[in-house]
Amino acid sequence: MKLAVKLFARARDLAGTSQLEVDVSEPATVLELKQALARACPALAPLSPHLLVAVGQEYAGDAQSLAEGLEVACFPPVSGG
Amino acid sequence: MIQLTNDPIDFAALTEQVRSNAAGAVVLFLGTVREFTHGRQTLRLDYEAYSQMAESKMAELLEQARARWPIVKAAIVHRLGTMELGDISVAVAVSTPHRDQAFEAGRWLIDTLKEVVPIWKQENWDDGTKEWIHPGLKKSP
C-alpha cells in the first residue's frame, strides 16, 4: 500500500518535501514504514534512530500496524515551548 | 482552553480568563525568546507545528492535569511563526483553590508540553545560520 507521510522540521528540510509517498507491503508495521522511508529518502539517515511516528495523530510504537487511509507523520524530537 | 496562534499572545486576557472566585491561586507561565544560549546569540526563532495533532495533545494535557489537580480553569496558548527576542512563544495559565496545586499543575503542563506536543523551534543564530532544535539529536552541520 502507498502511504503519504507528512514530514516536519529538520526531517522536512532534509527530505526537501513536506510529504513523502512510500510503498510498504501489507501487513505493515511502523518499523517497516521507517525502513521504507530510509530507502525512499536516504537523506533522512542522520535522523533515523530518533524519528518519531504518529498514526492518526497519536504517537505510534514500532510494532503498531498500519492501514491504508490513516494519517501518518514522521518527525524528529519536539522542541516547543 | 487551548489555542495555536500566529498572533502575539495577550497574556493579560489569558490570565483574566482563568480567574475565578472558586480559585485562591492563579499561576501564569510565559516562555519567551532568549538572546543567549550557551554563549551563542539568537536573532529570532521560527516555530512550526503539526497543528491538528498539537491541538489534540494540548487538550489531552489539560484533561490529564484536571485528573491530577483540582483545576478550576486552565489555558494553554502556543504561538507559531517568527518571533523576535523577548516575544512570548507560549503561555500556560492555571487556577486552583490553593497555590501549591497551581504551581505544580502549571509546571507539569509546560514540562509535558515540551516533551510531547509536536511543535518545533528553529534558531536563527547571529552568524546567519539556522538550526532546528531537536533534543537528543546532534546539532545539524
Side-chain angles (χ1 to χ4, degrees):
Chain A
M1 65 182 152
K2 283 193 162 58
L3 291 168
V5 181
K6 294 175 191 289
L7 302 172
F8 292 93
R10 203 192 301 172
R12 185 199 51 237
D13 284 2
L14 288 176
T17 176
S18 59
Q19 190 159 303
L20 205 58
E21 193 161 280
V22 293
D23 216 338
V24 287
S25 48
E26 292 180 76
T29 62
V30 166
L31 181 63
E32 284 154 343
L33 169 73
K34 284 181 176 173
Q35 293 163 345
L37 261 178
R39 282 193 301 274
C41 188
L44 290 173
L47 298 182
S48 60
H50 305 279
L51 283 178
L52 304 166
V53 171
V55 177
Q57 298 178 13
E58 288 288 344
Y59 286 105
D62 281 350
Q64 186 164 328
S65 52
L66 294 166
E68 208 150 11
L70 286 173
E71 184 173 316
V72 180
C74 189
F75 45 79
V78 304
S79 58
Chain B
M1 176 267 202
I2 58 118
Q3 192 190 6
L4 294 176
T5 179
N6 288 304
D7 301 322
I9 296 173
D10 184 344
F11 60 91
L14 193 76
T15 309
E16 204 51 47
Q17 267 186 46
V18 304
R19 276 163 37 78
S20 161
N21 290 350
V26 175
V27 163
L28 170 70
F29 171 85
L30 300 178
T32 58
V33 178
R34 177 179 59 233
E35 184 168 16
F36 288 97
T37 300
H38 305 305
R40 291 191 80 182
Q41 192 171 7
T42 297
L43 296 181
R44 68 189 69 82
L45 295 177
D46 297 312
Y47 282 84
E48 75 165 45
Y50 179 11
S51 296
Q52 283 178 303
M53 180 173 171
E55 282 175 351
S56 74
K57 283 286 150 201
M58 285 157 67
E60 262 175 44
L61 293 188
L62 285 189
E63 235 173 82
Q64 290 169 15
R66 284 181 186 285
R68 285 180 63 173
W69 293 278
I71 290 174
V72 179
K73 292 182 183 176
I76 309 175
V77 179
H78 205 300
R79 187 176 167 191
L80 303 173
T82 299
M83 273 161 261
E84 307 294 334
L85 298 180
D87 281 355
I88 297 163
S89 54
V90 64
V92 176
V94 187
S95 63
T96 61
H98 300 282
R99 67 184 183 283
D100 285 357
Q101 306 152 343
F103 277 117
E104 281 174 25
R107 174 73 194 251
W108 181 86
L109 282 168
I110 185 61
D111 286 354
T112 315
L113 177 148
K114 289 171 82 83
E115 283 170 18
V116 306
V117 175
I119 297 175
W120 300 269
K121 64 166 75 76
Q122 187 180 42
E123 287 277 4
N124 291 253
W125 299 112
D126 70 334
D127 61 5
T129 58
K130 292 178 169 216
E131 182 190 344
W132 283 109
I133 303 304
H134 296 309
L137 264 173
K138 272 188 274 172
K139 295 193 186 311
S140 54

